Amino acid sequence: MAEVTRYGTGAPCWVDLASPDVAASKEFYRGLFGWSSYTLTVEAFGDYEMFTLGGVQGPEVAAMQTLLDSTEEPSWTCYFSTRDAEEASRAVAAAGGQEQAEPYPVAHLGRIAQFADTRGADFGVWEPYEFHGAALWDEPSALAWVELVTPDIVEAERFYGEVFGWTTIERPYYRSGYYVCHVDDRPVAGMIPMDEFWPADHPTHWMPYFAVADCDASAERAVELGARLRVPPSDVPTARFAVMNDPVGARLAIVTPGRVF
């Protein structure tokens, strides 16, 4: 496995799960991806469960914390690398977004901040000190892609363009188009528009894609473990993927590895 040692500014670098049932989530992701975990306790931050691949001493691939507010939905949060979390916070405010958690240090690891875009999608930024983010990318059971589901592509292009400097290119992967976001020439994220086929009350959200060796087998295994499939295994020109809610309700997708969006 090739480990990642740094991420470019504006690129996705980390994801964490807010779960109301940490034990149930551990069991699901252990069964689906083979993840192990250890607990990182940081002053003023609380317990943070670090998911690892290949045993507890293996590379970190994602994390989890307890969802303390019962009025909020369980969810995965996608984080983007930044050179300066304070600067990113100012850029979000200038673009019309909302700060949900101001920049604060996480021990010697880095500096974190959380936001919502102008349509309410949550995301975060990570300013690395000693920890740069997920140690693996586009490897089986590791993060491979992140995607924004939004009713307003034009507004999303404007907002994230101002915050991260992204440019977008439309691809014919979906009936209403699919928008691939780039930093320079590097694809870093996708955007999919919510058209008339989506429920009117469906929330705008960011969603992680995790690589798997066999999308169909992994989707079947996820259902056995308590997940609810939203999109069964399906093909687009670049990948085979499936979308689901995990047993606590958080949205995620799985995708075949080794293909660039």
Side-chain angles (χ1 to χ4, degrees):
M1 295 183 291
E3 294 197 21
V4 180
T5 57
R6 67 178 300 274
Y7 288 88
T9 298
C13 63
W14 190 242
V15 290
D16 63 22
L17 172 66
S19 171
D21 190 335
V22 168
S25 293
K26 279 186 185 180
E27 182 177 356
F28 174 75
Y29 289 103
R30 184 186 304 116
L32 182 60
F33 296 138
W35 288 351
S36 300
S37 66
Y38 67 88
T39 302
L40 178 68
T41 301
V42 179
E43 186 178 355
F45 189 72
D47 287 348
Y48 199 57
E49 201 73 14
M50 300 289 280
F51 287 122
T52 61
L53 192 57
V56 175
Q57 300 300 319
E60 291 93 351
V61 291
M64 175 174 59
Q65 54 191 323
T66 302
L67 179 65
L68 299 176
D69 188 344
S70 61
T71 65
E72 295 183 359
E73 292 187 356
S75 64
W76 282 96
T77 298
C78 300
Y79 294 85
F80 300 91
S81 186
T82 182
R83 290 189 299 266
D84 187 327
E86 297 283 356
E87 182 180 304
S89 182
R90 290 191 292 270
V92 168
Q98 299 293 318
E99 185 179 78
Q100 296 182 325
E102 65 182 11
Y104 59 95
V106 183
H108 60 286
L109 302 177
R111 195 166 174 82
I112 196 171
Q114 295 174 326
F115 310 101
D117 69 18
T118 55
R119 298 306 297 260
D122 297 337
F123 69 99
V125 297
W126 177 254
E127 176 189 342
Y129 297 165
E130 296 184 14
F131 182 77
H132 288 265
L136 299 176
W137 184 271
D138 200 21
E139 298 274 358
S141 299
L143 189 64
W145 191 243
V146 296
E147 181 179 272
L148 176 67
V149 179
T150 178
D152 193 339
I153 288 291
V154 172
E155 171 61 10
E157 289 178 309
R158 180 202 67 82
F159 177 83
Y160 291 100
E162 292 181 14
V163 172
F164 294 128
W166 290 353
T167 58
T168 56
I169 298 175
E170 185 176 0
R171 300 295 189 193
Y173 303 156
Y174 181 70
R175 59 180 175 253
S176 297
Y178 191 88
Y179 298 80
V180 180
C181 308
H182 294 75
V183 173
D184 299 323
D185 294 328
R186 294 178 293 110
V188 293
M191 296 180 181
I192 187 170
M194 287 191 283
D195 56 22
E196 67 274 12
F197 295 99
W198 291 74
D201 59 350
H202 195 83
T204 303
H205 64 275
W206 279 99
M207 181 174 65
Y209 280 66
F210 296 98
V212 292
D214 185 325
C215 183
D216 296 71
S218 293
E220 182 177 350
R221 178 60 175 154
V223 171
E224 292 173 355
L225 292 166
R228 179 180 178 185
L229 277 186
R230 293 294 188 176
V231 179
S234 304
D235 287 314
V236 292
T238 54
R240 185 164 179 81
F241 73 99
V243 180
M244 67 189 74
N245 292 98
D246 72 11
V248 301
R251 304 177 188 87
L252 70 145
I254 55 176
V255 63
T256 50
R259 298 175 181 178
V260 178
F261 279 78

